[in-house]
Amino acid sequence: MVNIISSKIADLIVRFPPFDKLEKEELNKLSEEAEVLYFKSGETVFKQKEKAQPFIFFLKEGQVLLRETDGQEKKLVDICDEGELFGVRAMLTGNPYVFEAYCEEESLVYAFPLSIFKPLVDANNQVSLFFAAGLASGQKGAPQHIISSHNYRNTGSDLLSWQKPLNEFKESLILINCSSSIQSASQKMTTHSANCAVITDEKQRAVGIITDTDLRVKVVSTALSVQESVSKIMSTDLVTKEKGLPLAEYIISMMKYNIKHLIITEKEKVIGIFSQETLFSQLRSNPFAIIYSLESSENVEQLCYHRNKVDQFLQYYLEQNIKTSVVSQLITTINDSLIKRAIQLAILDMESEKYYKPKVAFAFISLGSEGREEQLLRTDQDNAIIFENVDAAAINYTREYFTQLGRKVNKILFEAGFDYCPADMMAGNPNWCLTLSEWKNRFSGWIHSPEKEALLMSTIFFDYRYIYGEQKLTKELDQFLQKEIRSNKIFLNFLAKNATKNPAPLSFFKNLIVERSGKHEKEFDLKARAMMPLTDIARVLCLEAGNVNTKNTIERYLFLAENDNSRKELYMQAAQAYEFLSQFRAIEGMRNQDSGRFISIKEITKFDRQLLRNSFEPIYDLQQMIELRFQLNYFS
């Protein structure tokens, strides 16, 4: 009889997430230990602030209300439908229940013991994602420290280990005092079969690094005396990171600065070294190999071939719940390498066509989502060129040269899968290939005359990011922008008003607001209705704070949280919401082979709809906040 009941339980729950991700044996084991509980109308499964029971609850029949006591009033938080889990927060945190589970009608509930259920969560990546992304029944998502504390399988080579703190370094660490000779350093490296050594001062702080290559190129080939100080040949342009950060932090630093060795410190003292070789041995899908292939591509065909490989491991990263912020930084680094090589190939092509290259400094910049380092999928291009000021006699030819260069780069990126911008906001458009002074005039005009078109341009172009060329041009533009906004703060009120044009995307009855007509009728516009409001609000608040350098939306909210303790929780919720929405859009885009912007509500699960609703809550709170902060009732 018991087997029949457990079999029926297993047959039922497998139809609902996250049970549909469990193996048959796991389902059977869980169902055999389940308790079947009956509640009359008006009874509670558990009460607010009550000590957590050793169960997680599944509603088979009936209706359970989650209510929060606020003074003398019981506030309805959510309604659990059949097939939903509740009591999840208590399971993950071990804390007392934050809500009351009240049976609005006769209800049948399955209670699964945590002693059986919790190990299944820890051992199954997809089940972990279910709870990490957000809790059932409308509760907020799990804290990040809970997500990262799961013990995943195959952590030796699995990319999930990227999120775990890295405290051990298997690579040999050779420390050599800066006063040592080249000969003694070489002998020590040979004895320990090491291909590099860290040069330190008396307090074991890193001051340089030498490699086998340094010994060959700087000593042997130049016949430098081996009795000279090792400081003569060491490289001093070091990148160091503190011990205990996630593997992802180390990987991204190495990719960003294009270095082969990363020095690990603890309170400035050198304790380890991390090399590309170590990285290669730990990764299944190697982004370093992709970058190297892009940078060494000899033609556009090779460039496109290697960029196409990225989609394979992008999907793997997303499916394995690597943090979206980590994935976006990896994709950004790869895309930057693609753009840099595209520019180099375009310059070579211009030379082959006998274009005279003016001796004028320039900077190629990315805009929009690429400028914010948020472009996971290959969407359309947004880019521009800044070149230094030239006299009137040279301006026409100089602009023509850089415009032609921009068009060639745009064409290469198009062939690599990045569509042309529908609004032609690209480097190949003379309107966006300007001198530094012209860019300053454009920025100043938008700030001093914040009409509708100017505000639109500001939301795109103020998220610029340096990619290639002379970075001093973008730094000077940064300083100008900061000064202009500081002296014209009324502009921020108009920019804030623009950030509230799309209200939080839920109707009065908490339904998702969908498009009413056109090609995407009855679909939900994830970009315009959810992601864009969060992006626009983060931008205006950071500009108000005088921060023009931080462009990434999540990093902007983290900056705001760090500098405004009174709203820290709201900003952290916004950062988490944006990360979830980015991941959701990327997964939908990969699944449907499109940009992931428009979502068919009928095709996503009830749980995903609930997660989307949860992520919209910060939008409403932020819009209410900036309505008051910028006195938007006075601005039309």
Side-chain angles (χ1 to χ4, degrees), residues 376-588:
L376 288 172
L377 303 174
R378 283 185 279 189
T379 55
D380 57 273
Q381 302 177 46
D382 291 299
N383 44 53
I385 287 177
I386 308 169
F387 59 94
E388 66 181 346
N389 300 327
V390 295
D391 58 40
I395 185 65
N396 289 336
Y397 179 80
T398 304
R399 193 189 316 281
E400 174 65 18
Y401 175 87
F402 286 117
T403 300
Q404 290 297 329
L405 177 65
R407 287 172 182 166
K408 287 182 179 294
V409 174
N410 293 148
K411 184 175 184 294
I412 293 172
L413 295 179
F414 175 77
E415 292 177 12
F418 294 85
D419 287 340
Y420 291 121
C421 173
D424 201 18
M425 293 182 185
M426 296 184 294
N429 184 339
N431 290 322
W432 312 121
C433 181
L434 308 173
T435 67
L436 180 60
S437 292
E438 289 170 335
W439 276 113
K440 289 179 178 179
N441 289 336
R442 288 283 175 95
F443 280 19
S444 182
W446 295 337
I447 291 170
H448 286 272
S449 301
E451 304 295 335
K452 182 179 179 181
E453 183 71 15
L455 292 171
L456 173 63
M457 294 301 177
S458 299
T459 61
I460 298 170
F461 284 89
F462 285 4
D463 287 347
Y464 63 89
R465 183 171 61 85
Y466 164 81
I467 300 294
Y468 183 90
E470 290 289 341
Q471 194 169 7
K472 66 180 182 181
L473 295 171
T474 56
K475 287 183 176 180
E476 187 172 337
L477 195 58
D478 288 342
Q479 294 170 359
F480 176 81
L481 177 60
Q482 188 176 49
K483 182 180 177 181
E484 282 290 290
I485 291 176
R486 191 184 297 124
S487 61
N488 296 275
K489 289 203 169 182
I490 193 69
F491 166 74
L492 295 174
N493 297 76
F494 288 96
L495 199 62
K497 185 71 175 179
N498 187 68
T500 62
K501 64 183 179 182
N502 289 326
L506 289 175
S507 69
F508 181 79
F509 298 102
K510 284 197 172 184
N511 293 318
L512 300 179
I513 298 175
V514 298
E515 302 305 296
R516 294 184 178 180
S517 61
K519 180 181 178 181
H520 298 286
E521 184 179 2
K522 296 184 179 180
E523 292 181 337
F524 178 71
D525 188 342
L526 193 65
K527 176 184 175 181
R529 295 193 178 275
M531 299 183 73
M532 193 178 293
L534 286 170
T535 299
D536 290 344
I537 292 169
R539 181 188 302 107
V540 71
L541 291 174
C542 274
L543 291 177
E544 182 197 32
N547 185 345
V548 301
N549 297 311
T550 304
K551 307 294 172 72
N552 180 269
T553 301
I554 293 174
E555 290 181 6
R556 278 171 167 165
Y557 279 117
L558 294 179
F559 165 81
L560 293 167
E562 185 177 341
N563 290 275
D564 185 355
N565 198 54
S566 65
R567 297 186 178 88
K568 182 174 183 177
E569 184 178 354
L570 175 58
Y571 293 142
M572 293 302 294
Q573 288 176 0
Q576 291 167 6
Y578 196 83
E579 180 149 14
F580 167 73
L581 291 169
S582 299
Q583 181 188 48
F584 189 89
R585 179 180 177 180
I587 291 173
E588 286 296 303

Side-chain angles (χ1 to χ4, degrees), residues 114-126:
L114 295 185
S115 60
I116 305 295
F117 190 83
K118 191 69 164 64
L120 297 179
V121 175
D122 292 337
N124 189 305
N125 296 334
Q126 291 184 303

Side-chain angles (χ1 to χ4, degrees), residues 26 79 94 111 113 127 143 204 258 316 331 334 374 423 511 582-583:
E26 294 173 323
I79 300 174
V127 176
Q204 288 196 329
N258 192 25
Y316 175 74
I331 299 301
I334 291 170
E374 295 169 359
N511 293 318
S582 299
Q583 181 188 48

